[in-house]
């Protein structure tokens, strides 16, 4: 009976995947763009329970996942089904032609034992000094993560907390975990906790080991659909140098004050579709990254990326390019999205040493409300103000930001401190158009440097009556 149920489930998964008509999103594009295609997954299927997996919230399922993935890989691929329950686990490494499917009420949760997130050197047996994402894949083809379940990174065991960003009640809850507070009382680190061992000698070193929830690198044909990603130690979903990526209908969420809690970070990928997602994050919402400096050039730009029908609640930016994009940005279309409660709406950020060139960026039909700072912002003196960071001056004038060929239209924003802001030296921000938009601001309509070439056509700024 169990085999019959799982077979029917996988058949339903396959039918649902094939039913997705992603071609509809590629109509009436302002730029020619390669379309995505679905990964091809064999029909073979197993349940994690077939390999000793237990969803009791206590059992360590690391070995069960390893055995199940190995069995699927040995026959050329298939579906690994995770039924309802809480499956504590260490690292999960996906292979070719594989679907990880989470049924409704299924939760895959990162073990709070942080040492299990450190890979072991096969020769020496020593632990690496950097954590690996809970779910990863490298140099693979045809991978999917699907279903209605949740992948939880148990980030509270990893993330530092700024005192200024939590209430006294919340601060007390962190104190109850143990941990370490810096001398001036401004920061709490999950170091010297009551119930978990350290994985480094100092809180600074342990902080540098913090990693992402799901990271896929150098892969082709990737689908993530339907699942919830939450409480990552750092970023939630990070495809890097991948081709043919579909991100459809996921929820990415974490506390609003989670340090480096980005939702979706696209790193130098080509042919990407991001649709129907809901985001409530501690840092950037949907972010395009293109590497920094000379090393980024060999991987080329983020290219042929379509972003449509998404909703972003809290985030530092709804749609973001940067801060690092030395590899460039090319052929990106962002349309029919809602940003509600983000710090900024459309955010373009970089600095000398991290910049690149944008080409053929088209943004339209964006609805925003309750934007904390700027509805649209270009900033070219950005620095990565992560916990423990020290600001340094860039000595070489190279990899200068070149924000250009960006076309924004039909933006409606109700409530932003500043409507449009742009700060940069000559040549950094130019050939930008903003058309047919209405922005209700509370303090300032425009804050644009004279050196910035931004053409406004039929843009209406409205504020309170005097």
């Amino acid at each position: 009976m169990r085999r019959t149920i799982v077979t029917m489930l996988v058949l339903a998964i396959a039918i649902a995947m094939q039913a997705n008509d992603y071609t509809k999103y590629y109509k009436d594009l302002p730029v020619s763009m390669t379309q995505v295609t679905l990964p091809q997954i064999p029909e073979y299927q197993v349940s994690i329970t077939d390999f000793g997996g237990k969803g009791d919230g206590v059992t360590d399922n690391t070995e069960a996942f390893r055995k199940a993935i190995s069995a699927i890989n040995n026959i050329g691929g298939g579906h690994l089904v995770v039924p309802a329950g809480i499956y504590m686990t260490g690292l999960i490494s996906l292979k070719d032609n594989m679907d990880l499917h989470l049924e409704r009420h299924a939760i895959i949760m990162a073990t709070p034992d942080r040492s299990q997130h450190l890979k072991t050197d096969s020769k020496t047996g020593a632990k690496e000094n950097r954590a690996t994402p809970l779910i990863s894949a490298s140099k693979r083809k045809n991978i999917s993560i699907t279903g209605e379940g949740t992948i939880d990174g148990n980030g509270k065991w990893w993330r530092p907390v700024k005192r200024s960003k939590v209430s006294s009640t919340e601060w007390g809850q962190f104190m109850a975990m143990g941990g370490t507070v810096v001398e001036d009382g401004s920061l709490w680190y999950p170091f010297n906790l009551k119930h978990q061992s350290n994985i480094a000698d100092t809180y600074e070193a342990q902080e540098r080991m913090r990693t992402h929830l799901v990271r896929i690198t150098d892969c082709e044909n990737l689908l993530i659909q339907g699942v919830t990603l939450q409480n990552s130690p750092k970023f939630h979903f990070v495809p890097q140098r991948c081709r043919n990526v579909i991100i459809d209908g996921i929820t990415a969420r974490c506390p609003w004050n989670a340090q480096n809690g980005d939702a979706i970070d696209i790193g130098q990928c080509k042919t990407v579709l991001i649709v129907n997602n809901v985001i409530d994050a501690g840092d950037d919402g949907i972010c395009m990254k293109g590497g920094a400096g000379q090393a980024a050039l060999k991987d080329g730009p983020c290219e042929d990326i379509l972003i449509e029908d998404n909703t972003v609640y809290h985030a530092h930016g709804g749609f973001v390019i940067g801060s690092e994009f030395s590899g460039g940005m090319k052929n990106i279309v962002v349309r029919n999205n809602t940003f509600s409660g983000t710090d900024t709406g459309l955010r373009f950020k970089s600095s000398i040493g991290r910049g690149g060139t944008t080409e053929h960026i088209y943004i339209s039909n964006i609805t925003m409300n309750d934007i904390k700072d700027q509805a649209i912002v270009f900033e070219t003196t950005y620095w990565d103000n992560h916990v423990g960071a020290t600001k340094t001056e860039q000595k070489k004038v190279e990899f200068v930001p070149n924000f250009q060929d960006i076309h924004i239209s039909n933006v409606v924003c109700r409530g932003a401190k500043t409507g449009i802001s742009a700060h940069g030296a000559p040549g950094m921000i130019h050939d930008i158009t903003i058309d047919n938009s209405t922005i209700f601001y509370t303090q300032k309509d425009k804050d644009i440097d004279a050196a910035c070439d931004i053409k406004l056509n039929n843009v209406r700024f409205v504020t309170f009556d005097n």
Side-chain angles (χ1 to χ4, degrees):
M1 176 62 74
R2 174 64 186 169
R3 177 65 65 182
T4 301
I5 292 172
V6 173
T7 301
M8 293 175 62
L9 171 63
V10 173
L11 180 60
I13 296 168
I15 292 172
M17 289 174 63
Q18 294 299 325
N20 287 320
D21 180 18
Y22 291 121
T23 61
K24 66 183 181 182
Y25 292 104
Y26 290 87
K27 297 178 180 178
D28 302 319
L29 291 177
V31 63
S32 179
M33 186 176 292
T34 304
Q35 296 187 25
V36 294
T37 57
L38 286 165
Q40 300 301 305
I41 310 294
E43 293 184 4
Y44 177 77
Q45 73 285 321
V46 296
S47 171
I48 189 64
T49 58
D50 297 335
F51 296 86
K54 293 183 179 180
D56 58 10
V58 177
T59 300
D60 181 353
N61 289 277
T62 307
E63 186 64 10
F65 276 107
R66 188 196 66 78
K67 289 180 178 178
I69 290 169
S70 179
I72 292 173
N73 188 51
N74 286 340
I75 65 142
H79 303 260
L80 173 54
V81 178
V82 182
I86 300 177
Y87 297 83
M88 305 298 294
T89 185
L91 302 179
I92 296 173
S93 180
L94 301 178
K95 308 299 183 184
D96 292 318
N97 310 314
M98 183 171 296
D99 170 47
L100 176 63
H101 183 81
L102 288 77
E103 293 183 352
R104 183 178 295 185
H105 307 306
I107 300 176
I108 294 175
M109 178 173 283
T111 174
D113 179 1
R114 292 171 293 191
S115 67
Q116 288 202 46
H117 297 271
L118 306 179
K119 285 185 175 180
T120 302
D121 188 294
S122 58
K123 294 181 179 179
T124 66
K127 293 283 189 180
E128 294 183 357
N129 63 358
R130 182 176 177 84
T132 296
L134 176 64
I135 297 177
S136 64
S138 179
K139 299 179 180 178
R140 301 291 178 180
K141 291 184 179 181
N142 297 317
I143 295 173
S144 63
I145 302 173
T146 62
E148 299 177 78
T150 298
I151 301 171
D152 191 307
N154 233 338
K156 69 179 181 180
W157 303 105
W158 294 90
R159 294 189 300 258
V161 176
K162 291 182 178 179
R163 178 63 183 91
S164 61
K165 288 190 172 184
V166 296
S167 67
S168 295
T169 299
E170 292 170 310
W171 188 251
Q173 292 170 348
F174 288 108
M175 295 300 99
M177 293 171 62
T180 300
V181 178
V182 299
E183 187 173 348
D184 65 2
S186 63
L187 273 170
W188 173 90
Y189 285 91
F191 186 79
N192 292 337
L193 295 170
K194 291 181 179 178
H195 302 295
Q196 298 299 332
S197 299
N198 298 323
I199 54 173
D201 294 333
T202 65
Y203 65 78
E204 295 97 336
Q206 186 166 278
E207 163 61 15
R208 290 192 293 270
M209 298 169 75
R210 190 159 53 103
T211 190
H212 311 308
L213 181 57
V214 180
R215 184 174 67 204
I216 312 294
T217 58
D218 301 297
C219 292
E220 293 184 31
N221 308 334
L222 170 63
L223 168 69
I224 181 167
Q225 183 182 62
V227 295
T228 294
L229 306 180
Q230 66 181 24
N231 291 326
S232 175
K234 206 169 181 180
F235 302 168
H236 288 75
F237 184 59
V238 187
Q240 295 180 313
R241 301 180 302 276
C242 294
R243 291 178 178 270
N244 192 40
V245 179
I246 303 170
I247 306 170
D248 179 10
I250 73 168
T251 298
R253 57 187 295 270
C254 64
W256 73 271
N257 50 16
Q259 296 296 316
N260 311 109
D262 291 30
I264 298 171
D265 276 39
I266 306 298
Q268 292 181 282
C269 296
K270 301 183 189 302
T271 310
V272 181
L273 179 66
I274 304 173
V275 291
N276 308 315
N277 303 292
V278 177
I279 291 167
D280 196 341
D283 209 309
D284 288 327
I286 302 173
C287 185
M288 307 291 107
K289 292 186 179 294
Q294 188 67 36
L297 298 182
K298 64 180 178 63
D299 296 319
C302 281
E303 187 172 1
D304 288 354
I305 298 175
L306 176 56
I307 301 168
E308 189 164 350
D309 290 339
N310 303 284
T311 299
V312 182
Y313 293 108
H314 185 271
H316 287 185
F319 169 76
V320 182
I321 289 179
S323 63
E324 64 274 28
F325 73 108
S326 299
M329 298 282 152
K330 185 176 181 180
N331 292 359
I332 299 177
V333 176
V334 184
R335 61 186 185 182
N336 303 319
N337 297 282
T338 296
F339 307 145
S340 181
T342 58
D343 288 357
T344 61
L346 301 172
R347 187 184 191 193
F348 306 88
K349 59 176 181 175
S350 194
S351 62
I352 294 173
R354 304 169 76 90
T357 297
T358 58
E359 304 173 69
H360 310 313
I361 313 297
Y362 294 90
I363 302 171
S364 63
N365 300 322
I366 306 297
T367 302
M368 308 183 198
N369 74 300
D370 286 339
I371 305 302
K372 176 176 173 287
D373 297 315
Q374 306 97 342
I376 302 170
V377 58
F378 294 84
E379 48 185 321
T380 60
T381 57
Y382 177 85
W383 71 287
D384 187 7
N385 186 21
H386 61 271
V387 168
T390 302
K391 191 172 184 179
T392 58
E393 294 296 326
Q394 181 69 27
K395 295 180 179 179
K396 287 187 176 181
V397 181
E398 59 182 358
F399 297 102
V400 175
N402 183 21
F403 287 118
Q404 54 105 47
D405 197 7
I406 298 174
H407 310 284
I408 302 169
S409 63
N410 298 314
V411 171
V412 175
C413 176
R414 173 69 192 194
K417 184 184 295 184
T418 302
I420 301 171
S421 175
H423 299 291
M428 289 187 177
I429 302 169
H430 61 98
D431 296 299
I432 311 294
T433 63
I434 304 175
D435 301 325
N436 304 322
S437 299
T438 300
I439 299 174
F440 187 102
Y441 66 94
T442 58
Q443 290 191 13
K444 196 168 188 178
D445 58 351
K446 299 183 293 293
D447 183 14
I448 302 174
D449 290 350
C452 299
D453 173 22
I454 298 179
K455 294 180 173 60
L456 307 183
N457 176 47
N458 193 31
V459 177
R460 189 162 62 115
F461 296 95
V462 184
T463 190
F464 300 106
D465 293 334
N466 294 328

